[in-house]
Amino acid sequence: MFSDELEKYDWDETGRFIASRTASDVRAALRKEHLTVEDFMALISPAAEPFLEEMAQLSHRYTLERFGKTISMYIPLYVSNACANCCVYCGFNHNNPLTRVTLTMDQVKAECEAIRELGPFENLLIVSGEHPKINGADYIEQVIRTARPYFNNLTIEVGPMSAEDYKRLTHSGLNGVVCFQETYHKENYRKYHPKGMKSIFDWRVNGFDRMGQAGVHKIGSIV
Ligand code: SF4
């Protein structure tokens, strides 16, 4: 499980190790084709600052080698701002007295048609707050089935689900899942996510394991 992997790292010790990297550690990492975690730590250390241009050039080279000259565009569709969580930085926070809207399938269909009229968008990102009773797996499955005929690629950015639910959605036409992990620092995580399912750190980070178990084709973690 991802949470077990995270347990292997002590936050402060890792921070000290990163801060102790030197210019020669950075140079050694830049010369390698295959990097270790320690090399990565050197590249994000303060000692790497003078090498930013060199890193940018390398990054550009690798990007061209692997992907060619392509740009992948996606367009987000917000389907529900109902949320049972109270993340302190978010306007959808359950305690905020705002009008909550959850699109009906007719409205989802109308939005998809309007997006198609905007241009050749093939990647739709379906975004929602996290309220299991209002916009849980059943609702998201309906949205996927409604949007499926309009786009080649459907990704969701919604509350983490069980492996069974991810599997069900994959069979309904889901291609990918994106999940934000605002911080891996457990104490700060508790501070910023005081209530609701999102307050359960392990449930959140192990969502990536469940996506893999369910056979989700594309998994994205955003930090
Ligand atoms: S779970 Fe997502 S939508 Fe809900 S309050 Fe937190 S960040 Fe906002």
Side-chain angles (χ1 to χ4, degrees):
M1 301 288 258
F2 192 19
S3 58
D4 297 328
E5 289 304 310
L6 290 173
E7 284 299 323
K8 293 179 189 168
Y9 294 90
D10 178 89
W11 190 273
D12 295 330
E13 199 181 297
T14 305
R16 280 194 295 274
F17 184 82
I18 292 171
S20 71
R21 297 303 81 197
T22 64
S24 71
D25 295 323
V26 178
R27 274 191 213 97
L30 287 172
R31 279 195 298 270
K32 288 187 185 173
E33 275 283 314
H34 299 285
L35 275 66
T36 63
V37 174
E38 285 73 23
D39 292 324
F40 172 69
M41 291 188 194
L43 295 182
I44 59 167
S45 73
E49 204 177 331
F51 298 88
L52 279 178
E53 183 54 34
E54 200 175 327
M55 281 196 267
Q57 297 293 342
L58 254 185
S59 167
H60 179 63
R61 201 185 92 204
Y62 288 140
T63 303
L64 280 181
E65 276 176 17
R66 282 161 180 73
F67 305 107
K69 287 192 174 180
T70 58
I71 297 176
S72 180
M73 307 273 284
Y74 72 86
I75 192 159
L77 172 59
Y78 283 73
V79 292
S80 172
N81 63 358
C83 193
N85 295 333
C86 300
C87 310
V88 298
Y89 48 79
C90 179
F92 290 179
N93 184 319
H94 181 71
N95 294 330
N96 279 351
L98 52 89
T99 307
R100 304 286 168 167
V101 178
T102 298
L103 300 186
T104 64
M105 290 312 120
D106 282 345
Q107 288 171 320
V108 170
K109 196 165 176 275
E111 290 291 330
C112 291
E113 282 164 5
I115 291 170
R116 290 302 329 195
E117 276 174 25
L118 286 176
F121 288 104
E122 288 298 346
N123 302 312
L124 186 74
L125 179 66
I126 297 161
V127 189
S128 150
E130 181 174 355
H131 197 306
K133 284 192 189 143
I134 297 174
N135 50 37
D138 290 346
Y139 173 77
I140 298 298
E141 183 177 13
Q142 285 184 54
V143 173
I144 288 169
R145 288 185 184 279
T146 305
R148 184 71 270 178
Y150 297 93
F151 304 96
N152 285 339
N153 193 65
L154 297 179
T155 301
I156 54 171
E157 188 189 320
V158 306
M161 296 178 186
S162 66
E164 296 75 50
D165 284 337
Y166 281 132
K167 201 173 207 168
R168 174 154 63 102
L169 298 190
T170 300
H171 290 148
S172 303
L174 174 71
N175 301 102
V177 182
V178 169
C179 190
F180 273 80
Q181 181 64 34
E182 286 76 8
T183 176
Y184 289 97
H185 189 284
K186 275 191 171 181
E187 276 168 39
N188 284 344
Y189 187 88
R190 264 194 291 276
K191 225 188 295 170
Y192 304 137
H193 307 96
K195 278 188 195 155
M197 283 305 284
K198 196 165 173 180
S199 66
I200 307 170
F201 183 88
D202 284 1
W203 168 256
R204 184 97 189 162
V205 294
N206 290 335
F208 300 109
D209 293 79
R210 299 193 298 276
M211 292 167 206
Q213 286 156 8
V216 172
H217 180 64
K218 209 169 174 187
I219 298 171
S221 166
I222 302 177
V223 287

